[in-house]
Each structure stands twice: as structure tokens, then as C-alpha cells.
Amino acid sequence: MAEDVKPTRKNLMEIEDRIEFSERGHDTLEQKRDGLIMEFMDILDQAQEVRSGLESDYREAQRAIDMARAMEGDVAVRGAASALKEHPEISTRANNIMGVVVPQIESTKVQKDLDERGYGVLGTSARIDEAADAYEQLLDSIVLAAEVETAMKKLLDEIEKTKRRVNALEFKLLPELRENQEYIEQKLEEQEREEIFRMKKIKDKKEAEEAEDEAAETHSEETEETVTADD
Amino acid sequence: MTQEIAVVGSPEFTTGFRLAGVREFAEIPDEEKPDRLDAAVEETMTNDDVGIVVMHEDDLEYLSREVRQRVERSVEPVVVTLGGGAGSGNLREQIKRAIGIDLMDDDQPDS
């Protein structure tokens, strides 16, 4: 990987900028991840509560309908069930937890009065009413559970995503950038050393040449002198 | 946008919910579940009017892997399962994967 970059000063500066940027991003993402986990913990507590409430509601509802079935017969219960006119509806609103959109579910027409149910009051017994009551309550719990569990699923997804990003930065991108940075730095140093060495060589050569010139000059002067001396 | 609650399961399971007014339901007798539950769940989940699907935890066993994964991951509609106890399977797995620890461990006093 390190061989992909050209060891120039411009590239080095660019890489240094990117490292700084990535580190900043990494810190921010890490904070986001921790924040999300904190939010998640809160919701988890809530979810466990809702879950256990849901299970006990379900058991109760089952008992009520078993009772109704035993007393009234399956057909009567089914008949009453098919006669229902009002239907529970839910509407969702978006709620935002640290950038994660979680739904807030509201239900209407879950709890109904006796006369709203539509199966008549005379034809059926209190057992069936009880069962219907229990199931209405169960539906309320289900709506709550759906809300909390959706939030949990979304938060978990986001946590996983953020975690992957943090890890990608920490274990892939940043090490690679640092490797490149080091490579370029060493390469540049190497070039500098080569340059100094080259300079030295040139200087030596120049000095040697100058010395030679001087020597030649003094030699010629000497010969000149001797010539004049001869005169 | 108003949506409805849907129930998928055996007739015994759905009757109670219908008594509470649930209109969207798919009744599949126990002996036909291996063959028909997949299709019924798929159909219910593609219905845009449905916001919450209620199923019995045990019925997940009848689903094929693909559908089951969809049920477990789906957010719209969200599937709520009943009768499985607190540590509902997949969510727990997902928590383990995302956070790294099993937060739903029953043995822990209270975390």
C-alpha cells in the first residue's frame, strides 16, 4: 500500500491533513457510538419491563379466552369474534434519538366499551366480555412492545453501523495513512541525505579543482619567476 | 397514517385478538403450518396497511430461514412475538453482536 504514493512534500502534507481529519471523525463517531449505547441501555431496561408485562398479559388473556371457550363453546366465541365492528388502529409518529428515527406508535379504539363491540349484549355472556377485555389490554401492551422493540432494532442497527465505521477508521484507514506518512517521511529524509552527500561530493570535487588550479597557477608563477630570475 | 394490527397463527391464537377487534388476520391450522405459514406471513408483511404483526413465538419455527430473518429484522411492519419469554431469540443475538455482551442474560441480577 505504501508504495502507491509518490514521496513528495505535497503528498505528505495532504496525508497529514487526512490523518487529522480522520482522527477527528473517529473521535466524533466514537462519541456517537457511546451515546447510542447509552440510549440503548435505557431502552433495554424499558423493553424488559414491557416484555414481562406483555407475557403476563398474554397468559391472562389466554386464560380468559380458554374460560370463555369452556363455558360458552368455541362456536359462540368465534361468532362473537366475527361480529366485531370497531377495529383498533395505530398511527405512528417519528421520534429522533441521536439521528435515529424511531417510531412513536399511538393506538386508538383498542379499549372498547361493551356496547361498542358489536356482538350484542344479550347473546353473549360475561366470559366473552372478560376475554375481549383481556385481549384489548394485551393489544395495548403489544403496541407498546412494538414501539420499544422497533426502537431497539433501529438503535442496534445504528450502533452496528457506527461501530463498523469506527473500526474501519481505527484499524484500516488510519494505519494505512500513517504507513504512507512514514514512508514519505523516510523517503524524503533519504533524498535529503542523498542531496547532502551529493553536495559534499561536488564541493570536494570543486575544492580539488580549485586546488589544482591554484597549484597550476603557482607553478606557472614559479616558472615565470624563474624566467625573470634568469634574465 | 393509520395502520392496523395483524395476527398470524392458529385459529386458537387469532380468535382472542379478533375478539378485541383485530381485522387483519391469517388463520392457519397447526397441521398446515409447515406448508402455508411462509406465504401467509409474507402476504401479511407486504400489506402496507399493517403496522404491527402479532405472532406466536413457536410459530417462527415453521418459517423458512429467509422469511424468518425478515420477520426478525423487519421494522415496518414490526413483528411482535408472544409466549417466548423475555430473552426473545434474535434480538438477543443482535445485541450480542452490536454491543459485545449479552445484556439479556437472565442470570445477571439486574443490569
Side-chain angles (χ1 to χ4, degrees):
Chain A
M1 190 55 215
E3 275 70 38
D4 285 353
V5 286
K6 285 209 178 75
T8 61
R9 205 155 280 283
K10 184 169 171 285
N11 271 345
L12 182 65
M13 272 155 68
E14 246 168 43
I15 284 174
E16 274 168 358
D17 276 353
R18 276 186 72 191
I19 286 178
E20 200 191 320
F21 185 63
S22 305
E23 267 171 355
R24 223 169 35 225
H26 177 252
D27 287 351
T28 316
L29 279 174
E30 223 169 29
Q31 275 169 19
K32 181 183 174 188
R33 185 194 62 191
D34 293 349
L36 279 172
I37 290 179
M38 235 117 87
E39 287 289 343
F40 179 76
M41 293 297 190
D42 282 352
I43 289 189
L44 186 73
D45 282 349
Q46 216 180 322
Q48 269 165 336
E49 234 165 78
V50 169
R51 257 282 148 192
S52 58
L54 187 67
E55 295 302 329
S56 68
D57 276 351
Y58 177 55
R59 271 196 300 278
E60 209 143 290
Q62 252 183 334
R63 202 164 35 228
I65 202 164
D66 284 347
M67 200 63 132
R69 244 192 226 120
M71 307 290 276
E72 310 295 324
D74 206 29
V75 178
V77 177
R78 276 162 178 277
S82 329
L84 260 287
K85 287 212 178 58
E86 293 285 349
H87 304 286
E89 278 173 350
I90 52 171
S91 52
T92 49
R93 267 192 309 148
N95 215 349
N96 199 325
I97 301 180
M98 295 194 70
V100 188
V101 181
V102 299
Q104 204 173 358
I105 307 176
E106 267 164 39
S107 56
T108 43
K109 294 188 217 155
V110 173
Q111 305 278 357
K112 293 177 280 291
D113 285 337
L114 202 55
D115 52 345
E116 282 174 347
R117 286 197 184 124
Y119 52 65
V121 186
L122 286 177
T124 55
S125 77
R127 305 276 177 211
I128 290 178
D129 297 338
E130 268 169 30
D133 262 345
Y135 267 94
E136 277 165 9
Q137 209 176 337
L138 177 61
L139 275 186
D140 263 343
S141 308
I142 285 174
V143 169
L144 205 62
E147 185 183 305
V148 174
E149 274 176 27
T150 316
M152 269 172 78
K153 278 183 193 170
K154 286 204 162 180
L155 272 180
L156 276 179
D157 269 353
E158 193 64 26
I159 288 173
E160 246 177 284
K161 227 189 282 172
T162 316
K163 217 172 93 169
R164 258 205 298 276
R165 281 188 195 140
V166 170
N167 285 350
L169 278 176
E170 192 175 336
F171 297 111
K172 179 102 180 92
L173 194 67
L174 278 172
E176 263 174 27
L177 285 174
R178 292 222 173 86
E179 204 183 320
N180 284 350
Q181 184 191 24
E182 204 182 328
Y183 169 73
I184 294 182
E185 270 172 1
Q186 286 189 354
K187 210 64 186 185
L188 284 177
E189 273 171 29
E190 177 84 27
Q191 278 175 2
E192 220 167 286
R193 280 197 296 275
E194 273 170 18
E195 194 65 24
I196 290 171
F197 185 68
R198 205 175 293 131
M199 289 299 200
K200 271 190 179 156
K201 272 270 177 210
I202 292 173
K203 200 177 160 199
D204 282 353
K205 217 175 171 185
K206 255 197 167 159
E207 272 173 3
E209 260 171 33
E210 265 168 32
E212 218 167 80
D213 280 354
E214 240 170 67
E217 238 169 67
T218 45
H219 187 69
S220 62
E221 265 171 38
E222 258 172 38
T223 44
E224 251 173 62
E225 265 172 40
T226 42
V227 171
T228 44
D230 266 357
D231 266 341
Chain B
M1 182 172 78
T2 55
Q3 289 178 311
E4 296 205 20
I5 302 171
V7 190
V8 181
S10 57
E12 290 81 38
F13 184 70
T14 56
T15 310
F17 289 99
R18 291 177 59 203
L19 208 51
V22 174
R23 185 162 42 170
E24 298 282 344
F25 64 94
E27 284 185 346
I28 291 140
D30 277 333
E31 60 272 14
E32 289 175 34
K33 272 181 187 165
D35 303 324
R36 287 182 49 207
L37 199 65
D38 262 357
V41 171
E42 287 245 39
E43 201 193 316
T44 314
M45 289 190 70
T46 45
N47 188 345
D48 285 339
D49 290 334
V50 173
I52 301 173
V53 181
V54 185
M55 285 183 73
H56 197 277
E57 177 91 29
D58 297 344
D59 285 349
L60 293 182
E61 297 295 321
Y62 295 104
L63 295 175
S64 64
R65 219 173 71 97
E66 209 176 302
V67 181
R68 191 177 165 153
Q69 255 174 11
R70 228 183 114 194
V71 165
E72 283 165 344
R73 307 210 123 206
S74 171
V75 171
E76 237 166 84
V78 59
V79 180
V80 179
T81 55
L82 293 174
S88 49
N90 176 64
L91 205 56
R92 193 170 169 172
E93 279 301 307
Q94 214 185 339
I95 292 170
K96 254 202 245 175
R97 200 172 56 235
I99 309 214
I101 17 166
D102 190 356
L103 289 169
M104 280 186 157
D105 203 344
D106 296 331
D107 300 333
Q108 276 173 5
D110 50 354
S111 52

